[in-house]
Amino acid sequence: MGTGESQFIIERIYWERIFLNFEIFADCPGEPEFYLEGPGGRKAGLEAVKGKDSFIISLNMACAFEGSFLENGRWRLMAKSGGGDSAEAKVCAITANAAYKLDDLSRIFKYAEDQMAYNVSFGVVSEDEKSLEFYMDSYFMTENRRWKRRRYVKEVRRPKEKVKRFFMYGAVVLIRIYYHVLYAFIPKKGNRIMFMSETKDFLWGNLKYIDARIKERGLDSRFTLTYSYRSAAGKHQGLRDIPGWIKVVTKIAAQDYIFIDDYAPVLGFFNLGKKTKLIQVWHAGEGFKSVGYSRFGKEGSPFPEGSCHRKYTHVITASERLIKVFQEVFPLDREAFYPVGMPRLDGFLDRKNIESFKEGFFRDYEYLKGRKLILFAPTYRGSEQKEAYYDYSMIDLKRIYDFCRKEGYAFLVKMHPFVKKKMEIPEEYGDTIYDFSQYPNINDLYYVTDILITDYSSNYFEYALMRRPVIFFTYDRRIYELTRGVHRSIKATAPGKVCDTFDQLMECLEKKDFETEKIIRFADENFSDYRGNASDKVIDEILLKGEALSE
């Protein structure tokens, strides 16, 4: 490739029975040396045969390391140029086309009357968000007849951590006992409701709208309402958090109905009593990024059993079509899903609400009045909340500024709440580019937004009701799809223009090539029966018919 730096790229992987074959392109001086590097720095040499355009490695898995199978753990295919001992070894990268086929290449070799198996699986990581590094997992496993049990102590290996987990397991057992004792002694009369969030420390979204509608209908005289919201999910939980758990568990044990809007780790510690209904109203519509059990087997995967995602008695979805999508996230029977709509969209298209909001918004932000607005609202990068970030270097603010000044736009930046580092907006662009990350409700901003720029977020789902242009700026699309995981191909199914480079994004804006017909078709398919009364449907079908639904 002539870059001046050695490159080793896997272009194809295929099996021939026990032989695992790699075709590798190498751009380096001299003959390269290949080897596998595994746990503890173990190394297994590899023989490579020079082909016409690449090197071919044929690895006999039965004698890949010291005359036998690879040891348990993660192995990377390493290479270094023929520059002698001083040459730097590099992890072999893999093309995106080859990486998309890795899941189909995993193998399970069973033996001992199917009681044991040797598993070989493959994956990719991206250290620089620009290239994909290949790895191979090699594990010998035995039949686990008690796989439904979550083994807290065995999740860690270091002695110090095992001691911590031992006390943690003891605390979990005590919490479990505490819950069931309270549950048994508190009578269930079908009139206690709790609104619960473990990701926000305030009531918001679907929970807020259902709560408000219960009160508007005067049903708070029939039902006793309780609230529990705290920012606990995604944070390390230890023994010092036990008082907080006890407070939450005490509330949980008394309830007939619990409404939650996201993952709630505390519900993984015990099974709710059969008279308690757990209703997941989920905080998002349809998105691309994989969550819940759609990530099973990937980094951050839930346990096969014990996850709270398995414990919902009801799941609210925005439409009938989304049931299949949500079944991948929450592995529940079809009967658990209620396609009643999204409560937070109740009244979303009410003309009086829209006009009232616009009037107040432009009174508060007078400097935006009379200007067209672009809302930039991408999701975060990183595998979990505490690592969340966005690569701002992918945005050329000068080009954005020049375009907006020429065309009469203002550019509003609304970063995902997990992203703590703000976009640095130079002072000279401050009359056109504005940071709206702290604005409380993104749905309200849709009323004044002329163009939405997003990526893998589900925010386009609600915005589709406005039937205005959506641009998907996916500068890391292939890496994101292969490492984070998505439900379906973004390029093929996104309801709007997909731009993989910033140049494409600017060309889309300048030429007004928005492919708006896609978002209109999407809105027709998903909101044809939209009536703006999802909260009432939740109340009528779950709460007021609770006797019929109870077990």
Side-chain angles (χ1 to χ4, degrees):
M1 293 184 180
T3 62
E5 182 179 349
S6 296
Q7 297 189 61
F8 307 93
I9 303 173
I10 301 169
E11 297 180 323
R12 184 187 175 208
I13 302 175
Y14 60 97
W15 286 93
E16 291 178 308
R17 297 161 302 281
I18 198 66
F19 287 91
L20 179 60
N21 303 288
F22 300 88
E23 292 183 8
I24 305 173
F25 172 84
D27 181 15
C28 65
E31 291 290 318
E33 173 189 346
F34 295 95
Y35 62 93
L36 288 172
E37 183 173 274
R42 295 182 178 91
K43 294 182 181 180
L46 298 171
E47 291 187 10
V49 177
K50 182 80 165 90
K52 181 180 179 182
D53 300 312
S54 59
F55 287 87
I56 309 298
I57 294 173
S58 186
L59 177 63
N60 185 340
M61 298 300 294
C63 57
F65 177 68
E66 296 181 352
S68 188
F69 290 90
L70 295 173
E71 293 290 334
N72 286 342
R74 180 156 295 182
W75 295 78
R76 297 182 185 276
L77 183 54
M78 308 294 295
K80 55 182 189 176
S81 61
D85 295 336
S86 61
E88 180 184 359
K90 302 186 68 174
V91 179
C92 289
I94 187 170
T95 65
N97 288 337
Y100 278 115
K101 301 173 183 177
L102 289 179
D103 284 345
D104 295 332
L105 290 170
S106 297
R107 289 289 186 273
I108 300 176
F109 300 93
K110 295 184 289 185
Y111 60 100
E113 298 182 347
D114 294 345
Q115 295 181 71
M116 298 181 180
Y118 175 53
N119 297 339
V120 181
S121 60
F122 311 97
V124 293
V125 295
S126 181
E127 300 296 339
D128 56 8
E129 301 294 328
K130 297 177 182 177
S131 62
L132 296 165
E133 292 186 357
F134 168 80
Y135 67 79
M136 174 170 59
D137 284 336
S138 165
Y139 284 99
F140 283 88
M141 297 184 178
T142 60
E143 180 185 10
N144 180 5
R145 297 181 181 178
R146 306 182 72 183
W147 61 273
K148 292 186 178 181
R149 174 171 294 183
R150 182 166 176 172
R151 302 174 186 272
Y152 292 92
V153 178
K154 291 189 176 181
E155 290 171 20
V156 291
R157 297 175 180 174
R158 290 180 297 181
K160 184 178 179 181
E161 294 299 319
K162 282 188 175 182
V163 170
K164 286 184 178 180
R165 280 298 186 187
F166 177 77
F167 285 106
M168 181 73 174
Y169 180 72
V172 168
V173 171
L174 292 175
I175 287 174
R176 192 174 295 160
I177 294 171
Y178 177 71
Y179 166 78
H180 286 291
V181 169
L182 278 182
Y183 178 84
F185 279 93
I186 299 176
K188 303 297 181 290
K189 299 180 181 180
N191 66 339
R192 292 192 179 98
I193 301 171
M194 181 164 78
F195 294 96
M196 176 180 179
S197 177
E198 292 281 275
T199 58
K200 292 283 194 297
D201 54 8
F202 57 92
L203 198 64
W204 76 300
N206 291 324
L207 295 178
K208 181 179 179 179
Y209 278 81
I210 296 170
D211 174 60
R213 189 58 183 150
I214 288 174
K215 294 172 181 175
E216 288 171 1
R217 292 175 60 171
L219 293 173
D220 51 335
S221 62
R222 173 175 173 178
F223 294 96
T224 300
L225 306 181
T226 304
Y227 305 90
S228 173
Y229 24 86
R230 58 183 190 151
S231 299
K235 296 180 179 179
H236 176 73
Q237 299 285 298
L239 295 176
R240 62 183 178 182
D241 297 294
I242 290 177
W245 294 346
I246 292 175
K247 183 178 179 180
V248 172
V249 171
T250 301
K251 291 182 178 181
I252 291 173
Q255 305 308 316
D256 298 287
Y257 302 93
I258 301 173
F259 288 87
I260 62 174
D261 65 344
D262 206 327
Y263 183 69
V266 68
L267 294 175
F269 294 154
F270 51 86
N271 292 321
L272 291 173
K274 290 185 177 181
K275 292 183 179 180
T276 299
K277 304 305 177 186
L278 182 61
I279 303 104
Q280 174 60 262
V281 300
W282 203 239
H283 59 282
E286 178 190 36
F288 291 105
K289 60 185 179 183
S290 295
V291 294
Y293 278 87
S294 66
R295 291 184 52 73
F296 189 64
K298 295 182 179 292
E299 184 180 355
S301 168
F303 276 76
E305 285 289 316
S307 169
C308 75
H309 282 335
R310 282 191 173 277
K311 300 182 180 182
Y312 310 133
T313 58
H314 306 71
V315 176
I316 304 305
T317 69
S319 68
E320 187 83 25
R321 191 183 67 83
L322 287 183
I323 291 177
K324 187 174 181 180
V325 174
F326 275 77
Q327 276 189 296
E328 188 178 355
V329 177
F330 315 126
L332 304 169
D333 292 336
R334 169 66 177 78
E335 292 73 22
F337 295 87
Y338 285 68
V340 299
M342 300 175 71
R344 70 172 180 270
L345 292 183
D346 285 355
F348 187 68
L349 295 184
D350 184 274
R351 180 52 54 187
K352 290 183 178 179
N353 287 344
I354 295 174
E355 292 305 321
S356 175
F357 173 80
K358 284 184 174 180
E359 182 180 341
F361 180 84
F362 288 115
R363 183 172 59 247
D364 294 338
Y365 303 96
E366 191 173 352
Y367 53 86
L368 296 176
K369 192 172 184 178
R371 302 166 75 177
K372 295 175 287 186
L373 301 183
I374 298 174
L375 179 62
F376 178 60
T379 191
Y380 65 93
R381 305 304 190 269
S383 60
E384 54 186 60
Q385 179 176 344
K386 61 184 178 182
E387 298 174 353
Y389 69 95
Y390 188 85
D391 187 358
Y392 294 123
S393 69
M394 304 307 299
I395 307 296
D396 186 338
L397 290 182
K398 184 179 187 310
R399 289 183 65 181
I400 290 288
Y401 177 79
D402 291 343
F403 167 80
C404 289
R405 293 291 293 177
K406 178 181 177 182
E407 300 292 336
Y409 282 99
F411 192 81
L412 311 185
V413 178
K414 182 81 168 71
M415 298 308 300
H416 191 283
F418 286 0
V419 178
K420 302 306 179 186
K421 182 180 178 182
K422 294 183 178 182
M423 176 185 283
E424 295 182 5
I425 302 173
E427 186 176 349
E428 59 267 30
Y429 304 153
D431 61 349
T432 298
I433 302 175
Y434 306 94
D435 187 351
F436 265 62
S437 295
Q438 299 305 312
Y439 195 86
N441 189 348
I442 189 173
N443 281 7
D444 289 343
L445 291 177
Y446 297 156
Y447 292 142
V448 294
T449 296
D450 295 282
I451 301 171
L452 172 65
I453 301 177
T454 186
D455 46 16
Y456 317 107
S457 173
S458 64
N459 54 25
Y460 71 88
F461 188 85
E462 295 93 323
Y463 185 71
L465 279 167
M466 310 309 296
R467 289 174 165 77
R468 296 172 189 159
V470 181
I471 304 173
F472 296 86
F473 177 45
T474 54
Y475 65 85
D476 56 349
R477 178 173 56 84
R478 287 189 164 187
I479 289 176
Y480 192 95
E481 288 181 338
L482 288 163
T483 57
R484 179 62 174 80
V486 294
H487 286 285
R488 64 197 185 284
S489 168
I490 296 163
K491 193 75 171 177
T493 64
K497 185 76 171 182
V498 178
C499 302
D500 287 341
T501 68
F502 188 78
D503 286 340
Q504 290 175 357
L505 171 64
M506 293 308 303
E507 183 179 5
C508 172
L509 289 170
E510 290 162 358
K511 293 183 177 180
K512 296 181 172 57
D513 179 22
F514 302 130
E515 299 181 5
T516 311
E517 68 279 0
K518 291 182 178 179
I519 198 68
I520 294 174
R521 184 167 62 248
F522 179 86
D524 292 339
E525 291 172 352
N526 287 275
F527 298 104
S528 59
D529 59 349
Y530 172 77
R531 298 292 181 272
N533 60 345
S535 296
D536 280 327
K537 285 186 175 182
V538 171
I539 293 169
D540 293 339
E541 296 186 25
I542 298 177
L543 296 180
L544 299 187
K545 294 183 180 180
E547 295 81 5
L549 293 172
S550 64
E551 298 180 14

